[in-house]
Amino acid sequence: MADYFDKALIFTDLHITPAGETIIGLDPLARFKQGLAHALDRHPDAQHIILLGDLTHTGSPAEYARLAPALADCPIPITVTMGNHDLRDHLRVPFPQAFNTDGFAQTALDLGPLRLLILDTHDYEGRAPLIHDGWICDTRLAWLDAELARAVTDAKHVVVFAHHPPCPVGFWAMDAIGLANADALLSRLHAAPHVRHLICGHIHRTIHASAANPAGGALPVSVLKSPCHQIPMILGEGTSSDSVDEPGAYGILLALKDTIVLHTEDFALSDGSVRTYE
Ligand SMILES: [Fe+2]
């Protein structure tokens, strides 16, 4: 199938808890295992798996220690980045390869004709005004600048990944804890016509948006659901902890010759069997 398209799988907001602890009655590790097994069964041809932050609920060593065995036998290479619920020193224990020489969980991967640039939006220095909002510091932005330039040299189109969306999505409590220096990111992406798409997590719901470029045009933005708990579809007022038990999901990124496609696959509350009606 690789001569038709190249494929990557994306899981975000796993929120693994310590053993015996649940979130609105759901076991995040059980949900993630279910989703990963579903994905590996149906997409063994995927070339990469990306875990787009919030791997754990509180960033504790016990939570990362529960996640690592669930990934140990995965036959597809896994790339990890940070979310607001992660802690770098604890995530580094099972995933030392996640961090580049700058000390940030930023990675560049090739997927057929695409270059995937995975950003680290965790606010290490408390630069953003709230605890859970995101921030990309100058060091990380310099890495992005260099990678965007390298992609031009290599004639690659680019898909960027960031845990925190840089645009509002209509849930006010989540919009308040988005990417606090969103303009620093968007100004760079808008100035790079080879950037084709931005994929985010953090919100726990499937969302399609476009971030307008003041100079014209817009960048398409997609937000993926969690494999575990979702934010209820109550727009406007609410809290960032409002959650609902709806089917968990993961993303499937396809790189075709001239087109980028992002599918979302709900895996829970369904046996996934394909039937034909008459
Ligand atoms: Fe998050």
Coordinates of all heavy atoms in Angstrom, one line a residue, residues 51 55 64-65 67-69 71-72 78-82 87-107 120 124:
L51 N 2.7 9.8 19.8 CA 1.9 10.1 21.0 C 2.1 11.6 21.3 O 3.1 12.1 21.7 CB 2.5 9.3 22.2 CG 2.6 7.8 22.0 CD1 3.0 7.1 23.3 CD2 1.2 7.2 21.5
L55 N 0.6 12.1 28.0 CA 0.7 10.6 28.1 C 0.2 10.2 29.5 O -0.4 9.1 29.6 CB 2.2 10.2 28.0 CG 2.7 10.1 26.6 CD1 2.5 11.3 25.7 CD2 4.1 9.6 26.6
Y64 N 4.0 6.7 34.2 CA 4.9 6.4 33.0 C 5.3 4.9 33.1 O 5.4 4.2 32.1 CB 6.1 7.3 33.0 CG 5.8 8.7 32.7 CD1 5.9 9.7 33.6 CD2 5.3 9.1 31.4 CE1 5.6 11.0 33.3 CE2 5.0 10.4 31.1 CZ 5.1 11.3 32.1 OH 4.8 12.6 31.8
A65 N 5.5 4.4 34.3 CA 5.9 3.0 34.5 C 4.8 2.0 34.0 O 5.0 0.9 33.6 CB 6.3 2.7 35.9
L67 N 2.6 2.9 31.6 CA 2.5 3.0 30.1 C 3.6 2.2 29.4 O 3.3 1.6 28.3 CB 2.6 4.5 29.7 CG 2.6 4.8 28.2 CD1 1.4 4.3 27.5 CD2 2.8 6.3 28.1
A68 N 4.8 2.3 29.8 CA 5.9 1.7 29.1 C 5.7 0.2 28.7 O 5.9 -0.1 27.5 CB 7.2 1.8 29.9
P69 N 5.2 -0.7 29.5 CA 5.0 -2.1 29.1 C 4.0 -2.2 28.0 O 4.1 -3.1 27.2 CB 4.6 -2.8 30.4 CG 5.1 -1.9 31.5 CD 5.0 -0.5 31.0
L71 N 3.7 -0.4 25.5 CA 4.3 -0.1 24.2 C 5.5 -1.0 23.9 O 6.0 -0.9 22.8 CB 4.8 1.4 24.3 CG 3.7 2.4 24.5 CD1 4.4 3.8 24.8 CD2 2.8 2.5 23.3
A72 N 5.9 -1.9 24.8 CA 7.1 -2.6 24.7 C 7.2 -3.5 23.4 O 8.2 -3.6 22.8 CB 7.4 -3.4 25.9
I78 N 7.8 4.5 17.7 CA 6.9 5.4 18.4 C 7.7 6.7 18.7 O 8.9 6.6 19.1 CB 6.5 4.8 19.8 CG1 5.6 3.5 19.5 CG2 5.7 5.8 20.6 CD1 5.3 2.7 20.7
T79 N 7.1 7.8 18.4 CA 7.6 9.1 18.7 C 6.7 9.8 19.8 O 5.5 9.8 19.6 CB 7.8 10.0 17.5 OG1 8.6 9.3 16.5 CG2 8.3 11.3 17.8
V80 N 7.4 10.4 20.8 CA 6.6 10.9 21.9 C 6.9 12.4 22.1 O 8.1 12.8 21.9 CB 7.1 10.2 23.2 CG1 6.6 10.8 24.4 CG2 6.7 8.7 23.1
T81 N 5.9 13.2 22.4 CA 6.2 14.6 22.9 C 5.4 14.9 24.1 O 4.6 14.0 24.6 CB 5.9 15.6 21.8 OG1 6.4 16.9 22.2 CG2 4.4 15.7 21.5
M82 N 5.6 16.1 24.6 CA 5.0 16.5 25.9 C 3.7 17.2 25.8 O 3.4 17.9 24.8 CB 6.0 17.5 26.6 CG 7.4 16.9 26.9 SD 7.4 16.2 28.6 CE 7.1 17.6 29.6
L87 N 5.5 15.5 32.8 CA 6.7 16.1 33.5 C 8.0 15.5 32.8 O 8.1 14.3 32.7 CB 6.7 15.7 35.0 CG 5.7 16.5 35.8 CD1 5.8 16.1 37.3 CD2 5.9 18.0 35.8
R88 N 8.8 16.4 32.4 CA 10.0 16.0 31.5 C 10.9 15.0 32.2 O 11.2 14.0 31.6 CB 10.8 17.2 31.2 CG 12.1 16.9 30.4 CD 12.6 18.1 29.7 NE 12.8 19.3 30.5 CZ 13.2 20.5 30.0 NH1 13.5 20.6 28.7 NH2 13.3 21.5 30.8
D89 N 11.2 15.2 33.5 CA 12.2 14.3 34.1 C 11.6 12.9 34.3 O 12.4 11.9 34.3 CB 12.7 14.9 35.4 CG 13.6 16.1 35.2 OD1 14.0 16.3 34.1 OD2 13.8 16.8 36.2
H90 N 10.3 12.8 34.4 CA 9.7 11.5 34.6 C 9.4 10.9 33.3 O 9.6 9.6 33.1 CB 8.4 11.7 35.4 CG 8.6 12.2 36.8 ND1 7.6 12.7 37.6 CD2 9.8 12.2 37.6 CE1 8.2 13.0 38.8 NE2 9.4 12.8 38.8
L91 N 9.0 11.6 32.3 CA 8.8 11.1 30.9 C 10.1 10.6 30.3 O 10.1 9.6 29.6 CB 8.2 12.1 30.0 CG 7.7 11.7 28.6 CD1 6.5 12.4 28.2 CD2 8.8 11.8 27.6
R92 N 11.2 11.2 30.7 CA 12.5 10.9 30.2 C 13.0 9.4 30.6 O 13.7 8.8 29.8 CB 13.6 11.8 30.7 CG 14.9 11.8 29.9 CD 16.0 12.6 30.7 NE 15.7 14.0 30.8 CZ 16.0 14.9 29.9 NH1 16.5 14.6 28.8 NH2 15.7 16.2 30.2
V93 N 12.4 8.9 31.7 CA 12.9 7.6 32.1 C 12.5 6.5 31.1 O 13.4 5.8 30.7 CB 12.3 7.3 33.5 CG1 12.6 5.9 34.0 CG2 12.9 8.3 34.6
P94 N 11.2 6.4 30.8 CA 10.9 5.3 29.7 C 11.2 5.8 28.3 O 11.3 5.0 27.4 CB 9.4 5.1 30.0 CG 8.9 6.3 30.5 CD 10.0 7.0 31.3
F95 N 11.3 7.1 28.1 CA 11.4 7.6 26.7 C 12.6 8.5 26.6 O 12.5 9.7 26.2 CB 10.1 8.3 26.3 CG 8.9 7.5 26.4 CD1 7.9 7.8 27.4 CD2 8.6 6.5 25.5 CE1 6.8 7.1 27.5 CE2 7.5 5.7 25.6 CZ 6.5 6.0 26.6
P96 N 13.8 8.1 26.8 CA 15.0 9.0 26.7 C 15.2 9.5 25.3 O 15.8 10.6 25.2 CB 16.1 8.1 27.2 CG 15.7 6.7 27.0 CD 14.2 6.7 27.2
Q97 N 14.8 8.7 24.3 CA 15.0 9.1 22.9 C 14.1 10.3 22.5 O 14.2 10.8 21.4 CB 14.8 7.9 22.0 CG 13.3 7.5 21.8 CD 12.7 6.7 23.0 OE1 13.3 6.5 24.0 NE2 11.5 6.3 22.8
A98 N 13.1 10.6 23.4 CA 12.1 11.7 23.0 C 12.7 13.0 22.9 O 12.2 13.9 22.3 CB 11.0 11.7 24.0
F99 N 13.9 13.2 23.6 CA 14.4 14.6 23.8 C 15.6 14.8 22.9 O 16.5 14.0 22.8 CB 14.8 14.8 25.2 CG 13.6 14.8 26.1 CD1 13.2 13.6 26.7 CD2 12.8 15.9 26.3 CE1 12.1 13.5 27.5 CE2 11.7 15.8 27.1 CZ 11.3 14.6 27.7
N100 N 15.6 15.9 22.2 CA 16.7 16.3 21.3 C 17.9 16.9 22.1 O 17.8 17.0 23.4 CB 16.3 17.2 20.2 CG 15.8 18.5 20.7 OD1 16.1 19.0 21.8 ND2 15.0 19.2 19.8
T101 N 18.9 17.3 21.4 CA 20.1 17.8 22.2 C 19.8 19.1 22.9 O 20.6 19.5 23.8 CB 21.3 18.0 21.2 OG1 20.8 18.8 20.1 CG2 21.7 16.6 20.6
D102 N 18.7 19.8 22.5 CA 18.3 21.0 23.2 C 17.6 20.6 24.5 O 17.3 21.5 25.4 CB 17.4 21.9 22.4 CG 18.1 22.4 21.2 OD1 19.3 22.7 21.2 OD2 17.4 22.6 20.1
G103 N 17.2 19.4 24.7 CA 16.5 19.0 25.9 C 15.0 19.1 25.8 O 14.3 19.0 26.8
F104 N 14.5 19.2 24.5 CA 13.1 19.3 24.3 C 12.6 18.1 23.5 O 13.3 17.6 22.7 CB 12.7 20.6 23.6 CG 13.0 21.8 24.4 CD1 14.2 22.6 24.2 CD2 12.3 22.2 25.5 CE1 14.5 23.7 25.0 CE2 12.6 23.3 26.3 CZ 13.7 24.0 26.1
A105 N 11.3 17.8 23.7 CA 10.8 16.6 23.0 C 10.3 17.0 21.6 O 9.1 17.1 21.3 CB 9.6 16.0 23.8
Q106 N 11.2 17.3 20.8 CA 10.9 17.8 19.4 C 11.6 16.9 18.4 O 12.8 16.6 18.6 CB 11.3 19.2 19.2 CG 10.7 20.2 20.2 CD 10.6 21.6 19.7 OE1 9.5 22.2 19.8 NE2 11.7 22.2 19.3
T107 N 10.9 16.4 17.4 CA 11.4 15.4 16.5 C 11.0 15.7 15.0 O 9.9 16.2 14.8 CB 10.9 14.0 16.9 OG1 11.2 13.8 18.2 CG2 11.5 12.9 16.0
D120 N 7.2 20.5 21.0 CA 7.0 20.4 22.4 C 6.5 21.7 22.9 O 7.2 22.7 22.9 CB 8.4 20.1 23.0 CG 8.4 19.9 24.5 OD1 7.4 20.4 25.2 OD2 9.4 19.4 25.1
Y124 N 7.7 24.9 30.3 CA 8.7 24.5 31.4 C 9.0 25.6 32.4 O 9.3 25.4 33.5 CB 10.0 24.0 30.8 CG 9.9 22.8 29.9 CD1 9.7 22.9 28.5 CD2 9.9 21.5 30.5 CE1 9.6 21.8 27.7 CE2 9.8 20.4 29.7 CZ 9.6 20.5 28.3 OH 9.5 19.4 27.6

